[in-house]
Amino acid sequence: MRRLLELPRRLRRADGSPFPQKRPARLARRHCTILVLALTSSALAGEPAGLATTRSDLSAKDQARVTAVTRPTTDFSRPEPFELMQGGAGTSRKDVGRDAFSQSSANITFEEEGTFKLGNALFRKNWVSSPSSTQASDGLGPLFNERACQNCHLKDGRGRPPQGDTGTTSMFLRLARDATSAEEKSAIANRDLPNFPDPTYGTQLQEVAVPGLRGEGRMRVDYRERQVTLADGTALSLRKPIYSVTDLAYGPLDPRTTLSPRLTPPMIGLGLIEQIAPADILAHADPEDLDGDGISGKPNIVRDALSGEPTLGRFGWKAQTATIRQQAADAFAGDIGISTPEESKHWGDCTTAQAKCLAMPNGVQARLGPVEAPPPVMDLVTFYSQNLAVPARRDLAAPDVLAGKKLFYEIGCVSCHTPKFVTRRDAPDKAQAFQLIWPYSDFLLHDMGPDLADGQAVGDATGSEWRTPPLWGIGLTEIVNGNSFFLHDGRARSLTEAILWHGGEAQKARDRFVAANGAERDALVKFLESL
């Protein structure tokens, strides 16, 4: 397998002095990819489409073009060709404002724009409890976190942790435990389940309930401040969150249940991510760190709910979901309590231990089909989610942005935050086909060290591993969402704090950031803010 990521051999600081270099990779990614697939499952013979290690959609000429255009730059004196349009031809060039993440892909058709708007209406729709006179909107809960998709994905952007009495609208606690019996371990190995829910409270804590029922409890977050001093003497404070649940309504949690906070991520560019060829993501996998660079990204291989085949997970904080449609179905069921053809859970996340919950009416209407959100609803919400445009870059030619980009490469950030990909030429939607995109993610799992560990395994992801989140749009967080909370639980209150929390495989990059001078660190942040 060709290598898409080959760092320059000799990079220097902004002042010309040499910067510590990571050890160059010595082994071909091809062997790493073959190894990860062999380790993942012995039943993958025949190269399922979702795990293909070669690109069948490209001619030899196209493959050469893709290899050339996705090779990381060594020239930091000016922007790269097409860098402005980080979401390809679908990039939004509209004025930046609070709706910067809510624009449709610029290259969809007029007819598709109508479909996008219908999907947006459903994404913003508030569901109501059953029975209701608005039969097309009932079925909420009985236990839930929010009444509409948009209420969690605020302005299609990033969520925030609870503050005081503001509630947990856009962050929730995932509940799960590891397999214990041989039967459970077999189910995990066979990818039938990613882990096991709490026997009473299910897969996530739901704080709200329909009339006549109590919410499950409330998330509590306590912070402890931690002082950090950088190499130049700059002192900063980081806040370490501690999670617990109060006011449990249905008895105690299982003592084996772990709590994993999950902040809602931005919605932009999802359709483009879905069309990155599996081979191009797997080309970066090196689970045994055979090249000795300290980075051992690995894929989360999941079982596709529709085909039943093992495939590449690429969505969610632990890359536990393969498709946007499945991600939407999981959110309908877990966050709102709405059943879909993909997740026919009319009572959402209610468990057998919650008999009163299961006795509540649901919103299934015979004239609309056997689920509360029938296929047309899922089609529209999925299309909307696939076509939220990535905003154009800003200030990409500014000297400090270019200097920050250089430092981003020098200290090794691109080892996980892969700058660019070219999507599949045979993508089912032309708007996402053969697009050069700049997500700055490899979409693989990486061990981020004990400080960021949640202790919760999800499929192939261990309790200290997280998917590399895309960085495009990160500089607009404050404008769109009115805050600067980052990482999976929003503990970081700035981009600098987010970097300082990096550990594990990212420890060396973090330490190089700490060792840089103030001007260099400011430049790197300026680069991130330009994305």
mmCIF file of all heavy atoms in Angstrom, residues 266-310:
data_model
loop_
_atom_site.group_PDB
_atom_site.id
_atom_site.type_symbol
_atom_site.label_atom_id
_atom_site.label_comp_id
_atom_site.label_asym_id
_atom_site.label_seq_id
_atom_site.Cartn_x
_atom_site.Cartn_y
_atom_site.Cartn_z
ATOM 1 N N PRO A 266 -19.502 18.794 15.554
ATOM 2 C CA PRO A 266 -20.055 19.520 14.415
ATOM 3 C C PRO A 266 -20.524 18.575 13.320
ATOM 4 O O PRO A 266 -20.015 17.456 13.176
ATOM 5 C CB PRO A 266 -18.875 20.379 13.931
ATOM 6 C CG PRO A 266 -17.938 20.442 15.100
ATOM 7 C CD PRO A 266 -18.104 19.146 15.828
ATOM 8 N N MET A 267 -21.484 19.039 12.522
ATOM 9 C CA MET A 267 -22.106 18.205 11.487
ATOM 10 C C MET A 267 -21.499 18.415 10.105
ATOM 11 O O MET A 267 -21.855 17.704 9.164
ATOM 12 C CB MET A 267 -23.599 18.531 11.416
ATOM 13 C CG MET A 267 -24.382 18.232 12.668
ATOM 14 S SD MET A 267 -24.694 16.477 12.870
ATOM 15 C CE MET A 267 -25.819 16.179 11.498
ATOM 16 N N ILE A 268 -20.611 19.373 9.943
ATOM 17 C CA ILE A 268 -20.125 19.724 8.605
ATOM 18 C C ILE A 268 -19.273 18.614 7.995
ATOM 19 O O ILE A 268 -18.554 17.905 8.680
ATOM 20 C CB ILE A 268 -19.325 21.032 8.638
ATOM 21 C CG1 ILE A 268 -18.141 20.923 9.619
ATOM 22 C CG2 ILE A 268 -20.216 22.203 9.002
ATOM 23 C CD1 ILE A 268 -17.203 22.109 9.590
ATOM 24 N N GLY A 269 -19.401 18.463 6.664
ATOM 25 C CA GLY A 269 -18.523 17.580 5.911
ATOM 26 C C GLY A 269 -18.748 16.098 6.087
ATOM 27 O O GLY A 269 -17.942 15.293 5.608
ATOM 28 N N LEU A 270 -19.847 15.690 6.720
ATOM 29 C CA LEU A 270 -20.036 14.267 7.001
ATOM 30 C C LEU A 270 -20.155 13.440 5.728
ATOM 31 O O LEU A 270 -19.649 12.318 5.650
ATOM 32 C CB LEU A 270 -21.274 14.068 7.883
ATOM 33 C CG LEU A 270 -21.252 14.699 9.273
ATOM 34 C CD1 LEU A 270 -22.508 14.325 10.045
ATOM 35 C CD2 LEU A 270 -20.007 14.289 10.046
ATOM 36 N N GLY A 271 -20.855 13.977 4.729
ATOM 37 C CA GLY A 271 -21.007 13.229 3.485
ATOM 38 C C GLY A 271 -19.695 13.006 2.773
ATOM 39 O O GLY A 271 -19.492 11.974 2.114
ATOM 40 N N LEU A 272 -18.776 13.953 2.893
ATOM 41 C CA LEU A 272 -17.452 13.797 2.296
ATOM 42 C C LEU A 272 -16.639 12.747 3.044
ATOM 43 O O LEU A 272 -15.956 11.916 2.433
ATOM 44 C CB LEU A 272 -16.726 15.144 2.299
ATOM 45 C CG LEU A 272 -17.355 16.229 1.429
ATOM 46 C CD1 LEU A 272 -16.771 17.592 1.756
ATOM 47 C CD2 LEU A 272 -17.187 15.911 -0.050
ATOM 48 N N ILE A 273 -16.724 12.771 4.368
ATOM 49 C CA ILE A 273 -16.024 11.759 5.166
ATOM 50 C C ILE A 273 -16.519 10.360 4.805
ATOM 51 O O ILE A 273 -15.739 9.410 4.699
ATOM 52 C CB ILE A 273 -16.229 12.035 6.665
ATOM 53 C CG1 ILE A 273 -15.561 13.347 7.065
ATOM 54 C CG2 ILE A 273 -15.692 10.878 7.516
ATOM 55 C CD1 ILE A 273 -15.908 13.815 8.460
ATOM 56 N N GLU A 274 -17.819 10.247 4.586
ATOM 57 C CA GLU A 274 -18.411 8.946 4.258
ATOM 58 C C GLU A 274 -17.869 8.408 2.941
ATOM 59 O O GLU A 274 -17.834 7.192 2.730
ATOM 60 C CB GLU A 274 -19.930 9.091 4.185
ATOM 61 C CG GLU A 274 -20.687 7.783 4.165
ATOM 62 C CD GLU A 274 -22.172 7.998 4.366
ATOM 63 O OE1 GLU A 274 -22.734 8.955 3.778
ATOM 64 O OE2 GLU A 274 -22.793 7.221 5.107
ATOM 65 N N GLN A 275 -17.408 9.277 2.054
ATOM 66 C CA GLN A 275 -16.946 8.855 0.742
ATOM 67 C C GLN A 275 -15.428 8.803 0.615
ATOM 68 O O GLN A 275 -14.905 8.666 -0.500
ATOM 69 C CB GLN A 275 -17.542 9.766 -0.334
ATOM 70 C CG GLN A 275 -19.050 9.664 -0.453
ATOM 71 C CD GLN A 275 -19.528 8.225 -0.610
ATOM 72 O OE1 GLN A 275 -18.918 7.440 -1.333
ATOM 73 N NE2 GLN A 275 -20.619 7.879 0.080
ATOM 74 N N ILE A 276 -14.705 8.904 1.728
ATOM 75 C CA ILE A 276 -13.272 8.615 1.683
ATOM 76 C C ILE A 276 -13.111 7.110 1.500
ATOM 77 O O ILE A 276 -13.739 6.318 2.205
ATOM 78 C CB ILE A 276 -12.570 9.074 2.972
ATOM 79 C CG1 ILE A 276 -12.683 10.591 3.138
ATOM 80 C CG2 ILE A 276 -11.094 8.665 2.950
ATOM 81 C CD1 ILE A 276 -12.158 11.093 4.467
ATOM 82 N N ALA A 277 -12.300 6.707 0.551
ATOM 83 C CA ALA A 277 -12.112 5.283 0.284
ATOM 84 C C ALA A 277 -11.519 4.584 1.508
ATOM 85 O O ALA A 277 -10.564 5.101 2.104
ATOM 86 C CB ALA A 277 -11.192 5.091 -0.915
ATOM 87 N N PRO A 278 -12.076 3.425 1.907
ATOM 88 C CA PRO A 278 -11.504 2.701 3.051
ATOM 89 C C PRO A 278 -10.001 2.463 2.901
ATOM 90 O O PRO A 278 -9.261 2.545 3.882
ATOM 91 C CB PRO A 278 -12.285 1.379 3.052
ATOM 92 C CG PRO A 278 -13.595 1.718 2.420
ATOM 93 C CD PRO A 278 -13.277 2.742 1.365
ATOM 94 N N ALA A 279 -9.560 2.190 1.674
ATOM 95 C CA ALA A 279 -8.134 1.928 1.458
ATOM 96 C C ALA A 279 -7.271 3.101 1.882
ATOM 97 O O ALA A 279 -6.162 2.912 2.402
ATOM 98 C CB ALA A 279 -7.893 1.606 -0.016
ATOM 99 N N ASP A 280 -7.759 4.314 1.667
ATOM 100 C CA ASP A 280 -6.964 5.494 2.004
ATOM 101 C C ASP A 280 -6.900 5.725 3.506
ATOM 102 O O ASP A 280 -5.931 6.305 4.005
ATOM 103 C CB ASP A 280 -7.524 6.726 1.295
ATOM 104 C CG ASP A 280 -7.232 6.719 -0.200
ATOM 105 O OD1 ASP A 280 -6.447 5.850 -0.642
ATOM 106 O OD2 ASP A 280 -7.786 7.566 -0.924
ATOM 107 N N ILE A 281 -7.933 5.319 4.228
ATOM 108 C CA ILE A 281 -7.879 5.399 5.694
ATOM 109 C C ILE A 281 -7.012 4.268 6.244
ATOM 110 O O ILE A 281 -6.138 4.492 7.087
ATOM 111 C CB ILE A 281 -9.304 5.347 6.288
ATOM 112 C CG1 ILE A 281 -10.095 6.593 5.879
ATOM 113 C CG2 ILE A 281 -9.250 5.220 7.812
ATOM 114 C CD1 ILE A 281 -11.542 6.592 6.327
ATOM 115 N N LEU A 282 -7.225 3.061 5.748
ATOM 116 C CA LEU A 282 -6.456 1.912 6.228
ATOM 117 C C LEU A 282 -4.975 2.032 5.900
ATOM 118 O O LEU A 282 -4.136 1.418 6.570
ATOM 119 C CB LEU A 282 -7.027 0.625 5.633
ATOM 120 C CG LEU A 282 -8.448 0.268 6.094
ATOM 121 C CD1 LEU A 282 -8.985 -0.915 5.303
ATOM 122 C CD2 LEU A 282 -8.468 -0.035 7.584
ATOM 123 N N ALA A 283 -4.633 2.824 4.893
ATOM 124 C CA ALA A 283 -3.227 3.000 4.538
ATOM 125 C C ALA A 283 -2.428 3.647 5.657
ATOM 126 O O ALA A 283 -1.207 3.516 5.719
ATOM 127 C CB ALA A 283 -3.114 3.846 3.268
ATOM 128 N N HIS A 284 -3.092 4.341 6.564
ATOM 129 C CA HIS A 284 -2.418 4.995 7.677
ATOM 130 C C HIS A 284 -2.387 4.136 8.932
ATOM 131 O O HIS A 284 -1.764 4.515 9.926
ATOM 132 C CB HIS A 284 -3.107 6.319 7.990
ATOM 133 C CG HIS A 284 -3.027 7.312 6.880
ATOM 134 N ND1 HIS A 284 -1.907 8.055 6.606
ATOM 135 C CD2 HIS A 284 -3.937 7.665 5.934
ATOM 136 C CE1 HIS A 284 -2.124 8.831 5.566
ATOM 137 N NE2 HIS A 284 -3.348 8.612 5.132
ATOM 138 N N ALA A 285 -3.089 3.001 8.906
ATOM 139 C CA ALA A 285 -3.159 2.155 10.100
ATOM 140 C C ALA A 285 -1.825 1.472 10.363
ATOM 141 O O ALA A 285 -1.187 0.956 9.452
ATOM 142 C CB ALA A 285 -4.254 1.113 9.930
ATOM 143 N N ASP A 286 -1.399 1.477 11.613
ATOM 144 C CA ASP A 286 -0.150 0.840 12.027
ATOM 145 C C ASP A 286 -0.291 0.415 13.487
ATOM 146 O O ASP A 286 0.387 0.938 14.375
ATOM 147 C CB ASP A 286 1.007 1.840 11.845
ATOM 148 C CG ASP A 286 2.368 1.216 12.115
ATOM 149 O OD1 ASP A 286 2.442 -0.024 12.231
ATOM 150 O OD2 ASP A 286 3.340 1.976 12.230
ATOM 151 N N PRO A 287 -1.202 -0.531 13.775
ATOM 152 C CA PRO A 287 -1.547 -0.850 15.165
ATOM 153 C C PRO A 287 -0.392 -1.358 16.005
ATOM 154 O O PRO A 287 -0.406 -1.197 17.225
ATOM 155 C CB PRO A 287 -2.647 -1.906 15.021
ATOM 156 C CG PRO A 287 -2.441 -2.492 13.669
ATOM 157 C CD PRO A 287 -1.942 -1.379 12.817
ATOM 158 N N GLU A 288 0.604 -1.949 15.389
ATOM 159 C CA GLU A 288 1.753 -2.463 16.136
ATOM 160 C C GLU A 288 2.936 -1.501 16.081
ATOM 161 O O GLU A 288 4.023 -1.844 16.548
ATOM 162 C CB GLU A 288 2.173 -3.833 15.575
ATOM 163 C CG GLU A 288 1.084 -4.897 15.663
ATOM 164 C CD GLU A 288 0.666 -5.145 17.101
ATOM 165 O OE1 GLU A 288 1.553 -5.347 17.953
ATOM 166 O OE2 GLU A 288 -0.551 -5.125 17.368
ATOM 167 N N ASP A 289 2.736 -0.330 15.512
ATOM 168 C CA ASP A 289 3.799 0.669 15.349
ATOM 169 C C ASP A 289 5.040 0.047 14.724
ATOM 170 O O ASP A 289 6.172 0.187 15.211
ATOM 171 C CB ASP A 289 4.153 1.326 16.692
ATOM 172 C CG ASP A 289 5.057 2.546 16.519
ATOM 173 O OD1 ASP A 289 5.087 3.106 15.396
ATOM 174 O OD2 ASP A 289 5.741 2.920 17.482
ATOM 175 N N LEU A 290 4.841 -0.643 13.619
ATOM 176 C CA LEU A 290 5.948 -1.311 12.948
ATOM 177 C C LEU A 290 6.969 -0.330 12.380
ATOM 178 O O LEU A 290 8.126 -0.695 12.181
ATOM 179 C CB LEU A 290 5.406 -2.202 11.825
ATOM 180 C CG LEU A 290 4.523 -3.375 12.260
ATOM 181 C CD1 LEU A 290 4.125 -4.220 11.059
ATOM 182 C CD2 LEU A 290 5.255 -4.243 13.285
ATOM 183 N N ASP A 291 6.540 0.910 12.109
ATOM 184 C CA ASP A 291 7.512 1.862 11.582
ATOM 185 C C ASP A 291 8.256 2.609 12.679
ATOM 186 O O ASP A 291 9.122 3.430 12.403
ATOM 187 C CB ASP A 291 6.852 2.853 10.609
ATOM 188 C CG ASP A 291 5.746 3.680 11.232
ATOM 189 O OD1 ASP A 291 5.647 3.693 12.478
ATOM 190 O OD2 ASP A 291 4.989 4.316 10.481
ATOM 191 N N GLY A 292 7.904 2.350 13.944
ATOM 192 C CA GLY A 292 8.659 2.884 15.061
ATOM 193 C C GLY A 292 8.536 4.370 15.287
ATOM 194 O O GLY A 292 9.381 4.963 15.955
ATOM 195 N N ASP A 293 7.451 4.988 14.778
ATOM 196 C CA ASP A 293 7.331 6.438 14.942
ATOM 197 C C ASP A 293 6.525 6.834 16.183
ATOM 198 O O ASP A 293 6.284 8.013 16.419
ATOM 199 C CB ASP A 293 6.728 7.080 13.689
ATOM 200 C CG ASP A 293 5.285 6.652 13.421
ATOM 201 O OD1 ASP A 293 4.761 5.807 14.189
ATOM 202 O OD2 ASP A 293 4.696 7.149 12.446
ATOM 203 N N GLY A 294 6.083 5.843 16.965
ATOM 204 C CA GLY A 294 5.328 6.145 18.172
ATOM 205 C C GLY A 294 3.850 6.351 17.943
ATOM 206 O O GLY A 294 3.097 6.564 18.894
ATOM 207 N N ILE A 295 3.407 6.275 16.693
ATOM 208 C CA ILE A 295 1.994 6.457 16.349
ATOM 209 C C ILE A 295 1.440 5.127 15.871
ATOM 210 O O ILE A 295 1.945 4.544 14.907
ATOM 211 C CB ILE A 295 1.810 7.522 15.244
ATOM 212 C CG1 ILE A 295 2.513 8.819 15.639
ATOM 213 C CG2 ILE A 295 0.336 7.752 14.962
ATOM 214 C CD1 ILE A 295 1.976 9.472 16.897
ATOM 215 N N SER A 296 0.411 4.636 16.534
ATOM 216 C CA SER A 296 -0.100 3.294 16.204
ATOM 217 C C SER A 296 -1.609 3.337 15.987
ATOM 218 O O SER A 296 -2.369 2.648 16.651
ATOM 219 C CB SER A 296 0.264 2.295 17.296
ATOM 220 O OG SER A 296 -0.079 2.786 18.579
ATOM 221 N N GLY A 297 -2.034 4.166 15.074
ATOM 222 C CA GLY A 297 -3.461 4.252 14.783
ATOM 223 C C GLY A 297 -4.023 2.938 14.287
ATOM 224 O O GLY A 297 -3.356 2.178 13.592
ATOM 225 N N LYS A 298 -5.270 2.683 14.641
ATOM 226 C CA LYS A 298 -5.920 1.463 14.179
ATOM 227 C C LYS A 298 -7.375 1.775 13.858
ATOM 228 O O LYS A 298 -7.974 2.698 14.414
ATOM 229 C CB LYS A 298 -5.832 0.360 15.235
ATOM 230 C CG LYS A 298 -6.717 0.590 16.455
ATOM 231 C CD LYS A 298 -6.584 -0.548 17.467
ATOM 232 C CE LYS A 298 -7.565 -0.393 18.620
ATOM 233 N NZ LYS A 298 -7.394 -1.428 19.660
ATOM 234 N N PRO A 299 -7.975 1.003 12.948
ATOM 235 C CA PRO A 299 -9.384 1.212 12.629
ATOM 236 C C PRO A 299 -10.280 0.531 13.654
ATOM 237 O O PRO A 299 -9.859 -0.404 14.339
ATOM 238 C CB PRO A 299 -9.534 0.557 11.260
ATOM 239 C CG PRO A 299 -8.519 -0.548 11.281
ATOM 240 C CD PRO A 299 -7.367 -0.041 12.108
ATOM 241 N N ASN A 300 -11.498 1.016 13.759
ATOM 242 C CA ASN A 300 -12.526 0.312 14.521
ATOM 243 C C ASN A 300 -13.394 -0.409 13.491
ATOM 244 O O ASN A 300 -14.143 0.227 12.746
ATOM 245 C CB ASN A 300 -13.369 1.286 15.349
ATOM 246 C CG ASN A 300 -14.108 0.582 16.472
ATOM 247 O OD1 ASN A 300 -14.174 -0.640 16.525
ATOM 248 N ND2 ASN A 300 -14.686 1.358 17.389
ATOM 249 N N ILE A 301 -13.247 -1.709 13.425
ATOM 250 C CA ILE A 301 -14.010 -2.501 12.469
ATOM 251 C C ILE A 301 -15.344 -2.886 13.106
ATOM 252 O O ILE A 301 -15.381 -3.478 14.186
ATOM 253 C CB ILE A 301 -13.238 -3.767 12.041
ATOM 254 C CG1 ILE A 301 -11.839 -3.391 11.526
ATOM 255 C CG2 ILE A 301 -14.019 -4.521 10.971
ATOM 256 C CD1 ILE A 301 -11.832 -2.426 10.358
ATOM 257 N N VAL A 302 -16.430 -2.517 12.456
ATOM 258 C CA VAL A 302 -17.770 -2.743 12.996
ATOM 259 C C VAL A 302 -18.575 -3.568 11.998
ATOM 260 O O VAL A 302 -18.198 -3.708 10.838
ATOM 261 C CB VAL A 302 -18.482 -1.408 13.278
ATOM 262 C CG1 VAL A 302 -17.678 -0.588 14.273
ATOM 263 C CG2 VAL A 302 -18.703 -0.606 12.006
ATOM 264 N N ARG A 303 -19.685 -4.101 12.458
ATOM 265 C CA ARG A 303 -20.548 -4.871 11.559
ATOM 266 C C ARG A 303 -21.649 -3.961 11.030
ATOM 267 O O ARG A 303 -22.394 -3.351 11.799
ATOM 268 C CB ARG A 303 -21.142 -6.081 12.284
ATOM 269 C CG ARG A 303 -21.851 -7.061 11.334
ATOM 270 C CD ARG A 303 -22.163 -8.362 12.039
ATOM 271 N NE ARG A 303 -20.963 -9.079 12.429
ATOM 272 C CZ ARG A 303 -20.222 -9.805 11.593
ATOM 273 N NH1 ARG A 303 -20.561 -9.902 10.312
ATOM 274 N NH2 ARG A 303 -19.157 -10.442 12.038
ATOM 275 N N ASP A 304 -21.725 -3.851 9.719
ATOM 276 C CA ASP A 304 -22.737 -3.008 9.096
ATOM 277 C C ASP A 304 -24.126 -3.545 9.406
ATOM 278 O O ASP A 304 -24.412 -4.724 9.200
ATOM 279 C CB ASP A 304 -22.526 -2.953 7.581
ATOM 280 C CG ASP A 304 -23.458 -1.983 6.908
ATOM 281 O OD1 ASP A 304 -24.590 -2.388 6.571
ATOM 282 O OD2 ASP A 304 -23.065 -0.825 6.698
ATOM 283 N N ALA A 305 -24.995 -2.686 9.909
ATOM 284 C CA ALA A 305 -26.320 -3.128 10.352
ATOM 285 C C ALA A 305 -27.183 -3.620 9.204
ATOM 286 O O ALA A 305 -28.060 -4.461 9.399
ATOM 287 C CB ALA A 305 -27.028 -1.988 11.085
ATOM 288 N N LEU A 306 -26.955 -3.097 7.996
ATOM 289 C CA LEU A 306 -27.782 -3.491 6.862
ATOM 290 C C LEU A 306 -27.228 -4.704 6.130
ATOM 291 O O LEU A 306 -27.934 -5.673 5.883
ATOM 292 C CB LEU A 306 -27.922 -2.309 5.891
ATOM 293 C CG LEU A 306 -28.675 -1.088 6.435
ATOM 294 C CD1 LEU A 306 -28.742 0.006 5.381
ATOM 295 C CD2 LEU A 306 -30.084 -1.472 6.878
ATOM 296 N N SER A 307 -25.955 -4.672 5.791
ATOM 297 C CA SER A 307 -25.366 -5.766 5.018
ATOM 298 C C SER A 307 -24.923 -6.935 5.886
ATOM 299 O O SER A 307 -24.795 -8.066 5.408
ATOM 300 C CB SER A 307 -24.166 -5.257 4.210
ATOM 301 O OG SER A 307 -23.084 -4.932 5.080
ATOM 302 N N GLY A 308 -24.661 -6.666 7.161
ATOM 303 C CA GLY A 308 -24.148 -7.708 8.039
ATOM 304 C C GLY A 308 -22.664 -7.961 7.878
ATOM 305 O O GLY A 308 -22.097 -8.807 8.572
ATOM 306 N N GLU A 309 -22.011 -7.191 6.985
ATOM 307 C CA GLU A 309 -20.587 -7.396 6.715
ATOM 308 C C GLU A 309 -19.735 -6.520 7.625
ATOM 309 O O GLU A 309 -20.147 -5.433 8.024
ATOM 310 C CB GLU A 309 -20.284 -7.047 5.253
ATOM 311 C CG GLU A 309 -20.928 -7.968 4.230
ATOM 312 C CD GLU A 309 -20.367 -9.371 4.298
ATOM 313 O OE1 GLU A 309 -19.158 -9.523 4.565
ATOM 314 O OE2 GLU A 309 -21.144 -10.326 4.102
ATOM 315 N N PRO A 310 -18.519 -6.993 7.957
ATOM 316 C CA PRO A 310 -17.599 -6.118 8.687
ATOM 317 C C PRO A 310 -17.190 -4.943 7.811
ATOM 318 O O PRO A 310 -16.957 -5.099 6.604
ATOM 319 C CB PRO A 310 -16.403 -7.028 9.002
ATOM 320 C CG PRO A 310 -16.516 -8.182 8.088
ATOM 321 C CD PRO A 310 -17.940 -8.323 7.694
#
